Amino acid sequence: MGEIEGSYRVLQTPGTRLGAQFNAGISTLEPGQSLSGNMVSGSKSHGRGLQIRVQGLDDSQEFFDIDPKALGQPLLTEVFHRGNLIESDYFGLEFQNMQMNWVWLEPTKPIMKQVRRPANTLFRLSVKFFPPDPGQLQEEYTRYLFSLQMKRDLMEGRLICTENTGALLASHLVQSEIGDYDDIADRDFLRMNKLLPYQEKVQERIMELHRRHLGQTPAESDFQILEIARKLEMYGVRFHPAADREGTKINLAVAHMGLQVFQGHTKINTFNWSKIRKLSFKRKRFLIKLHPEVHGPHQDTLEFMMASRDECKIFWKICVEYHSFFRLFDQPQPKSKAILFTRGSSFRYSGRTQKQLVEYVRENGAKRTPYQRFVFPYTRIYSLSERLVVFCNLSSTDSVVDSPQLSPFNSKGPLCLSPSFQMSTLSLPGQTPSPLQSPILSEVGSNARLEEEEEGRRKRFPTDKAYFIAKEILTTERTYLKDLEVITVWFRSAVIKDNAMPEGLMTLLFSNIDPIYEFHRGFLKELDQRLALWEGRSNAHVKGDYQRIGDVMLRNMCALKEFTSYLQKHDEVLTELEKATKRLKKLETVYKEFELQKVCYLPLNTFLLKPIQRLMHYKLILERLCKHYSPAHRDHDDCKEALKEVAEIATQLQSSLIRLENFQKLTELQRDLIGIENLTAPGREFIREGCLFKLTKKGLQQRMFFLFSDMLLYTSKGVTATNQFKVHGQLPLYGMIIEESENEWSVPHCFTIYSAQRTIVVAASSKVEMGKWIEDLNMAIDLAKKSQEKSSIFLDAELGDHSNRSSDEVSLEQESEDDMNSSRTSLEKQTHHRANTTMHVCWHRNTSVSMSDHSLAVENQLSGYLLRKFKNSNGWQKLWVVFTNFCLFFYKTHQDDFPLASLPLLGYTVSTPEESDSIHKEYVFKLQFKSHVYFFRAESEYTFERWMEVIKSAASTTGRMSLMKVQNSMCSHHCTLKELKVRVCVCEI
């Protein structure tokens, strides 16, 4: 890369290379300075160091003293350190060169060789790398700086958008600066602050939109700004003028996905990184070499002409850095210098990649802390540098220090603009690792300050039950919207990047779910605003009338009826997606790789069921509200009508949901099991999965069993890191008989399964587990008998030929070395798989889960903040917790895109603390599995009861206790045990 023509070349001096002969006619001297005087002072400064002026994203300026011979990295480090910027690799310092083009400061090159007069040059902090979704930014402070970058781009005309979108962005900027709408304050602020080039033209529209943001916090405004900006075609685009081979003027730009070509402000082409083989430049020519299959072998090189070699090289360097940052896993190594001759540039990207940055912030314990910017009274409009920004730990109390001199770079003052950086402990104090993933989030902050915060919150916020029910709607809606984004944002990005999905399927999938996602974005905003008014945390003048939720629910449940046709299409979407993944190898690969990403914390197709399942949640929560309210309450009628509306939609979709949940489970198992094809055969229903011990020649061996409406599978766990299970036996249900046999085999909780060609003996982990299996097996056998239809595929009792065995032989399975080796080979062909699915939890906890348990778990999803404490620790930690699929998922805040840890609940017991636990707080519940103990503290009696309720539903799926005796399932002719074993009974089965 960076090729030059010829084998030898006279190198330019730094002065000529940077264009010393070019006279821009613009002085960079300070007012009152002369050229000779500056040169003298400049020469003196070499003895005492350089003073560099840096402008922050809020336009405040700071001076930095550096060594004259310093590289760019020490200056960058000092700027980031003084600003306490954790996710620093997204940012850089830029300056204008002699051609008045903005150029990035290179970290590995001396500043004096990059900038002609550093002491008289203004460097400005700017966003260098724009991620496709700003939600990937883990620090709220980083999102705040990104929103300031959007503000700058709007004003400089880089972020091109319609006037209406510009007004919307400006309205969120106003909300973040002065708080809720006030006519006089809005006009004063817009008069004194320029947000848009055409601001006067759309001022009334800005104010009208600002009025709608009632109760929105500054941090939420920042998030909205980035959500709007990321969807614009010009988001993060920096133009580099060029011309194509025909001489047509175009603009080149680079983004996370590759190179973009614009004509004017219209994007006419995009070259993904996956299609590009090489980037290079030769003098003024910028060359893009594509893989032959993209444009054919005779058109694999695209050529663009730029104004100069320097501009060509500047753009090439930016491309190299963007490619390294977004596409590489690890930081590239510097190119070793040649001893005699050099060819090409040795330039390499020198920072962390995005993947490394995300892991660094997460693993090194940089606290992802929400912040709250203090909004000054309307009587005076302060400049941004005067407006204080308060950052509070999750475990600290909000405070405001009156220090208007505070600068974003000031780390010595009483209040810092950015979160402090602390290392966290990534271990469970005094505990051995959990059988599965244990929550390893750190304990941060002061316990005393956390107590203060909780006490203050309880005094400020409402305490009535209706408020907490309404808050449950809000918190679960936040999680639901994040779940939708797994499909609408993350999965879409994955399939587009690799061009893996046919256009027809893309249209079917996203045209079906995008409108639902957009509706719920608006709905969430309404809920958030109403709860803000209910809590009184906005500056709204009237509070009492907003302490209700029924009107918001009724309005949106009525609107939701319009999406019934979209929801009814989910059956087709799920089916077509499954067919396409079987048919298209590229899509199957992208699908499997995406499921391994942390953002996809559940099986991917589970997220497609969320819209219908969410209807059931609305129904249950509204029922709870209606039960709480008296008929005379002003919110009762609206809640009742809203319940009526959602119940009508839910009734229409109930049968579809049952069918979809079954299909989803079958497709999930199809991916997780090796040795079974066509598991999603029509008419097949999933009934139960779980761990049993099978009697073999080696004794009792752990096996995973899967019961369907037509057969019973048993499997062993894979011997490689794939975490998949290999099928060893398939037993048809038709004609099967189950018999308790503890006494015969002297094994506790033991029962025998007699199938058409095979008999096996299994043991459960407890009497309850045995009862659940016997009951479900007998129920499935009865259904198979009543259907009067024998299975179209009568599967062999064991993989391989077992026809020689005598019919009365009890199977004592013994795997040979060949079997193990073939299993290993088969498994190694598979990609690494998730280890936190229900089947793996059942395997580790020696338990089982039925389809009815799954359906119940779907109804009992819950989200919200909880305080967590380990058994042997002193402090409490505030976490955003999501309960779904029999598991607790832990996040630092509700805005995080993926969980940092998880805790599967199957096998755990939930209770209130005992006296010996020394927990003297209210609303605390205790989770325990063997020696693993966790305490969680809720904010109210209602939320405490709800968490206890949903966790009990997952932790103790005990099922019905009635143990069906084997004689009840025998035929009415009272066959003897021996007759049953040798299968000579002629009774009609």
Side-chain angles (χ1 to χ4, degrees):
M1 300 181 84
E3 297 172 357
I4 57 175
E5 293 181 324
S7 58
Y8 173 78
R9 174 170 187 209
V10 178
L11 297 177
Q12 295 175 309
T13 65
T16 55
R17 184 171 57 79
L18 290 174
Q21 76 282 1
F22 178 77
N23 183 3
I26 299 174
S27 174
T28 59
L29 300 180
E30 296 294 333
Q33 286 182 317
S34 65
L35 180 61
S36 59
N38 184 69
M39 290 176 68
V40 172
S41 64
S43 63
K44 288 181 180 178
S45 69
H46 282 267
R48 65 176 187 271
L50 281 173
Q51 196 173 61
I52 303 293
R53 186 161 50 110
V54 177
Q55 177 179 300
L57 278 157
D58 67 345
D59 296 332
S60 64
Q61 294 185 10
E62 285 286 320
F63 287 91
F64 296 82
D65 292 319
I66 63 165
D67 186 273
K69 297 180 181 179
L71 303 178
Q73 187 59 57
L75 176 59
L76 286 165
T77 301
E78 181 61 24
V79 171
F80 298 148
H81 174 72
R82 200 180 292 187
N84 272 330
L85 185 54
I86 307 301
E87 295 178 286
S88 56
D89 298 80
Y90 287 111
F91 300 87
L93 291 178
E94 58 179 352
F95 62 93
Q96 284 185 300
N97 63 9
M98 293 298 292
Q99 289 76 33
M100 306 309 291
N101 294 320
W102 287 101
V103 180
W104 293 107
L105 181 71
E106 292 184 32
T108 58
K109 192 173 180 181
I111 296 176
M112 294 293 290
K113 289 190 176 183
Q114 301 183 64
V115 189
R116 188 176 178 83
R117 288 193 291 263
N120 297 316
T121 299
L122 176 66
F123 294 81
R124 68 178 189 180
L125 180 69
S126 300
V127 174
K128 189 174 185 178
F129 300 112
F130 292 81
D133 180 9
Q136 295 172 342
L137 305 175
Q138 300 181 69
E139 292 277 332
E140 287 193 14
Y141 177 49
T142 311
R143 289 194 280 268
Y144 165 62
L145 294 181
F146 263 71
S147 71
L148 292 182
Q149 181 70 58
M150 298 302 106
K151 179 182 177 182
R152 181 191 286 177
D153 288 353
L154 273 174
M155 193 55 224
E156 293 181 353
R158 282 179 167 180
L159 191 60
I160 305 297
C161 57
T162 64
E163 289 183 357
N164 195 52
T165 302
L168 180 58
L169 286 165
S171 69
H172 284 294
L173 287 167
V174 175
Q175 175 74 17
S176 71
E177 295 298 325
I178 68 172
D180 290 341
Y181 174 81
D182 180 278
D183 188 79
I184 297 174
D186 276 34
R187 293 185 189 280
D188 286 346
F189 180 83
L190 292 171
R191 175 171 49 83
M192 299 176 67
N193 294 272
K194 193 80 168 174
L195 303 177
L196 298 169
Y198 45 86
Q199 186 165 301
E200 293 78 8
K201 184 178 178 182
V202 296
Q203 179 165 315
E204 294 301 320
R205 180 60 176 157
I206 293 172
M207 294 171 64
E208 177 190 339
L209 291 168
H210 181 209
R211 191 195 301 267
R212 302 179 185 177
H213 306 328
L214 193 65
Q216 187 170 282
T217 65
E220 291 165 342
S221 296
D222 294 340
F223 194 79
Q224 290 299 325
I225 290 165
L226 299 181
E227 275 291 294
I228 297 166
R230 75 179 175 90
K231 297 180 180 179
L232 299 175
E233 196 163 66
M234 298 300 291
Y235 164 70
V237 170
R238 301 291 181 261
F239 280 160
H240 296 264
D244 61 15
R245 283 180 175 173
E246 287 73 36
T248 305
K249 289 184 178 181
I250 58 167
N251 288 305
L252 297 178
V254 62
H256 67 96
M257 83 287 284
L259 266 63
Q260 300 174 330
V261 183
F262 288 81
Q263 197 161 27
H265 292 113
T266 305
K267 184 162 63 178
I268 59 175
N269 210 340
T270 299
F271 299 102
N272 291 337
W273 296 122
S274 59
K275 298 178 181 178
I276 297 174
R277 182 167 58 90
K278 187 177 184 181
L279 294 175
S280 60
F281 64 93
K282 293 183 179 179
R283 297 187 179 178
K284 296 182 182 181
R285 291 183 297 152
F286 186 81
L287 306 173
I288 304 174
K289 296 184 179 180
L290 304 171
H291 289 290
E293 62 269 17
V294 178
H295 280 286
H298 305 295
Q299 197 180 3
D300 65 343
T301 303
L302 303 175
E303 184 178 305
F304 300 94
M305 294 294 293
M306 304 188 83
S308 66
R309 178 188 180 277
D310 281 346
E311 289 190 27
C312 215
K313 188 172 184 179
I314 287 169
F315 181 58
W316 173 78
K317 286 182 176 180
I318 295 172
C319 292
V320 170
E321 291 186 311
Y322 252 83
H323 176 268
S324 300
F325 184 75
F326 286 108
R327 293 281 290 184
L328 300 185
F329 288 158
D330 300 312
Q331 180 179 341
Q333 297 299 317
K335 186 178 180 181
S336 58
K337 292 185 178 180
I339 299 174
L340 296 175
F341 301 102
T342 62
R343 179 173 178 82
S345 172
S346 62
F347 177 79
R348 293 290 185 274
Y349 172 62
S350 59
R352 287 174 294 213
T353 66
Q354 187 187 35
K355 181 178 183 294
Q356 288 176 316
L357 177 59
V358 169
E359 290 176 351
Y360 168 77
V361 175
R362 184 180 69 250
E363 294 176 5
N364 287 273
K367 294 183 294 182
R368 194 168 310 135
T369 56
Y371 65 89
Q372 178 181 354
R373 287 207 295 284
F374 181 72
V375 179
F376 281 86
Y378 298 137
T379 53
R380 177 187 168 199
I381 303 300
Y382 288 72
S383 67
L384 184 58
S385 60
E386 294 175 308
R387 193 160 290 112
L388 301 184
V389 181
V390 179
F391 289 90
C392 59
N393 292 338
L394 287 166
S395 55
S396 65
T397 309
D398 295 349
S399 61
V400 176
V401 179
D402 187 12
S403 176
Q405 306 303 320
L406 189 65
S407 160
F409 295 113
N410 184 8
S411 61
K412 299 176 182 179
L415 181 65
C416 186
L417 189 72
S418 68
S420 60
F421 178 66
Q422 294 185 4
M423 301 297 286
S424 64
T425 306
L426 297 179
S427 62
L428 299 177
Q431 292 192 24
T432 56
S434 167
L436 289 179
Q437 269 183 289
S438 292
I440 54 172
L441 296 174
S442 63
E443 294 179 61
V444 294
S446 160
N447 197 38
R449 296 176 74 184
L450 184 55
E451 293 299 324
E452 270 181 46
E453 179 190 341
E454 288 303 303
E455 187 62 31
R457 188 203 60 75
R458 292 182 186 184
K459 289 179 180 178
R460 290 195 313 269
F461 289 177
T463 56
D464 56 310
K465 185 176 179 180
Y467 162 75
F468 291 109
I469 297 175
K471 192 171 182 180
E472 183 183 332
I473 300 174
L474 171 66
T475 56
T476 51
E477 188 73 12
R478 281 176 174 159
T479 296
Y480 169 58
L481 201 67
K482 280 291 183 184
D483 286 345
L484 289 183
E485 286 178 357
V486 173
I487 300 291
T488 60
V489 176
W490 298 92
F491 185 58
R492 187 204 308 266
S493 176
V495 294
I496 288 177
K497 184 177 76 173
D498 292 326
N499 194 23
M501 188 178 286
E503 188 175 339
L505 182 57
M506 284 277 289
T507 303
L508 174 65
L509 173 57
F510 294 111
S511 65
N512 198 55
I513 201 166
D514 282 347
I516 297 172
Y517 171 66
E518 290 302 324
F519 166 78
H520 284 283
R521 284 184 66 193
F523 182 29
L524 175 61
K525 189 175 177 182
E526 278 194 64
L527 290 170
D528 206 8
Q529 290 174 350
R530 175 53 56 89
L531 266 293
L533 293 170
W534 199 329
E535 294 166 357
R537 58 182 158 98
S538 74
N539 55 10
H541 300 294
V542 181
K543 194 170 73 171
D545 188 50
Y546 293 109
Q547 293 184 337
R548 56 197 174 94
I549 199 68
D551 57 327
V552 176
M553 294 301 294
L554 177 57
R555 183 165 58 251
N556 283 278
M557 293 307 100
C558 289
L560 197 56
K561 291 179 74 172
E562 300 174 12
F563 294 93
T564 306
S565 59
Y566 292 99
L567 296 172
Q568 289 171 335
K569 272 190 176 181
H570 274 49
D571 202 334
E572 180 185 358
V573 171
L574 207 60
T575 305
E576 291 302 317
L577 180 61
E578 181 62 22
K579 287 180 181 176
T581 52
K582 289 181 178 178
R583 188 175 71 252
L584 304 171
K585 189 68 179 175
K586 184 187 281 188
L587 179 58
E588 182 187 22
T589 302
V590 170
Y591 191 110
K592 287 181 177 179
E593 288 178 353
F594 182 76
E595 279 200 323
L596 298 180
Q597 293 185 23
K598 292 177 181 176
V599 72
C600 190
Y601 66 102
L602 300 172
L604 177 58
N605 54 15
T606 303
F607 294 100
L608 289 170
L609 305 184
K610 295 289 183 180
I612 302 180
Q613 292 171 345
R614 186 60 178 152
L615 290 173
M616 310 304 166
H617 302 160
Y618 293 143
K619 180 172 175 287
L620 292 169
I621 297 175
L622 283 167
E623 285 173 350
R624 210 172 294 127
L625 264 175
C626 290
K627 186 177 180 180
H628 167 69
Y629 285 136
S630 67
H633 195 282
R634 60 178 177 171
D635 204 24
H636 179 270
D637 290 345
D638 283 342
C639 287
K640 190 175 181 180
E641 283 300 312
L643 174 59
K644 182 181 176 183
E645 294 290 339
V646 75
E648 184 180 329
I649 312 172
T651 302
Q652 293 179 38
L653 296 168
Q654 181 68 46
S655 59
S656 179
L657 176 60
I658 294 170
R659 185 171 62 253
L660 286 172
E661 287 177 345
N662 181 69
F663 183 74
Q664 181 277 323
K665 186 62 185 176
L666 291 176
T667 54
E668 178 190 337
L669 292 175
Q670 182 72 74
R671 289 183 174 87
D672 287 352
L673 300 179
I674 298 174
I676 179 72
E677 298 295 333
N678 197 27
L679 199 58
T680 57
R684 178 171 291 148
E685 294 181 17
F686 168 76
I687 297 174
R688 179 174 290 277
E689 63 183 334
C691 178
L692 293 171
F693 290 86
K694 182 176 179 292
L695 188 62
T696 71
K697 291 180 180 179
K698 294 180 180 180
L700 289 172
Q701 297 285 322
Q702 188 176 6
R703 295 287 180 264
M704 192 70 186
F705 280 73
F706 300 89
L707 175 61
F708 303 93
S709 58
D710 60 337
M711 65 176 175
L712 177 68
L713 299 183
Y714 58 93
T715 66
S716 63
K717 196 172 187 295
V719 292
T720 70
T722 60
N723 288 309
Q724 289 172 298
F725 287 80
K726 180 184 177 183
V727 176
H728 285 289
Q730 306 174 22
L731 309 178
L733 292 187
Y734 192 84
M736 183 181 285
I737 292 179
I738 310 300
E739 178 189 77
E740 285 189 55
S741 49
E742 289 184 75
N743 296 331
E744 182 178 354
W745 295 97
S746 299
V747 175
H749 323 307
C750 171
F751 59 98
T752 305
I753 301 173
Y754 303 99
S755 69
Q757 296 176 325
R758 192 69 187 273
T759 300
I760 62 173
V761 178
V762 295
S765 59
S766 67
K767 197 165 188 68
V768 171
E769 275 294 304
M770 181 180 73
K772 288 191 287 186
W773 274 108
I774 290 177
E775 187 170 8
D776 280 353
L777 278 164
N778 282 321
M779 176 198 70
I781 292 167
D782 286 343
L783 289 174
K785 182 165 62 174
K786 289 175 184 176
S787 68
Q788 298 292 319
E789 293 179 4
K790 292 188 179 181
S791 175
S792 58
I793 305 173
F794 224 79
L795 300 169
D796 289 333
E798 188 78 16
L799 295 180
D801 184 11
H802 300 291
S803 56
N804 308 351
R805 287 202 177 125
S806 63
S807 57
D808 62 345
E809 181 184 359
V810 174
S811 166
L812 299 180
E813 178 185 4
Q814 182 176 18
E815 295 173 6
S816 66
E817 281 298 316
D818 292 339
D819 289 337
M820 295 297 286
N821 291 334
S822 66
S823 172
R824 186 177 293 109
T825 304
S826 173
L827 286 164
E828 284 171 349
K829 294 177 183 177
Q830 305 294 326
T831 57
H832 182 71
H833 207 269
R834 302 178 316 277
N836 208 21
T837 57
T838 312
M839 69 164 68
H840 291 90
V841 180
C842 288
W843 175 268
H844 286 284
R845 304 277 167 84
N846 286 331
T847 187
S848 66
V849 172
S850 69
M851 193 65 207
S852 60
D853 294 327
H854 279 285
S855 300
L856 184 63
V858 165
E859 294 178 359
N860 280 317
Q861 296 191 15
L862 195 59
S863 309
Y865 281 106
L866 289 174
L867 303 182
R868 187 189 65 179
K869 179 184 177 299
F870 298 122
K871 180 174 63 174
N872 297 324
S873 64
N874 296 320
W876 294 85
Q877 182 188 13
K878 190 174 183 180
L879 297 170
W880 177 258
V881 184
V882 173
F883 167 76
T884 185
N885 286 42
F886 310 102
C887 195
L888 293 181
F889 295 93
F890 300 100
Y891 305 73
K892 280 290 186 71
T893 74
H894 70 264
Q895 292 177 331
D896 293 356
D897 289 313
F898 55 83
L900 298 183
S902 60
L903 180 65
L905 294 175
L906 292 174
Y908 267 79
T909 58
V910 59
S911 62
T912 54
E914 300 168 1
E915 191 67 31
S916 58
D917 294 319
S918 299
I919 302 292
H920 306 296
K921 304 292 180 185
E922 55 185 357
Y923 314 138
V924 175
F925 59 90
K926 175 183 179 181
L927 275 176
Q928 183 167 5
F929 176 76
K930 297 182 179 178
S931 63
H932 302 277
V933 179
Y934 309 98
F935 300 98
F936 293 90
R937 186 178 173 196
E939 64 178 340
S940 70
E941 184 180 0
Y942 170 79
T943 50
F944 166 77
E945 290 173 351
R946 282 290 292 136
W947 281 105
M948 287 282 284
E949 177 187 347
V950 299
I951 290 174
K952 279 181 180 177
S953 72
S956 53
T957 55
T958 54
R960 287 163 291 178
M961 297 294 293
S962 59
L963 304 181
M964 299 185 69
K965 301 300 179 183
V966 67
Q967 56 265 33
N968 293 339
S969 64
M970 294 182 185
C971 61
S972 57
H973 291 264
H974 308 290
C975 307
T976 66
L977 179 60
K978 183 178 179 181
E979 288 173 329
L980 287 167
K981 283 185 177 180
V982 299
R983 300 309 307 257
V984 296
C985 175
V986 295
C987 307
E988 181 182 351
I989 299 176

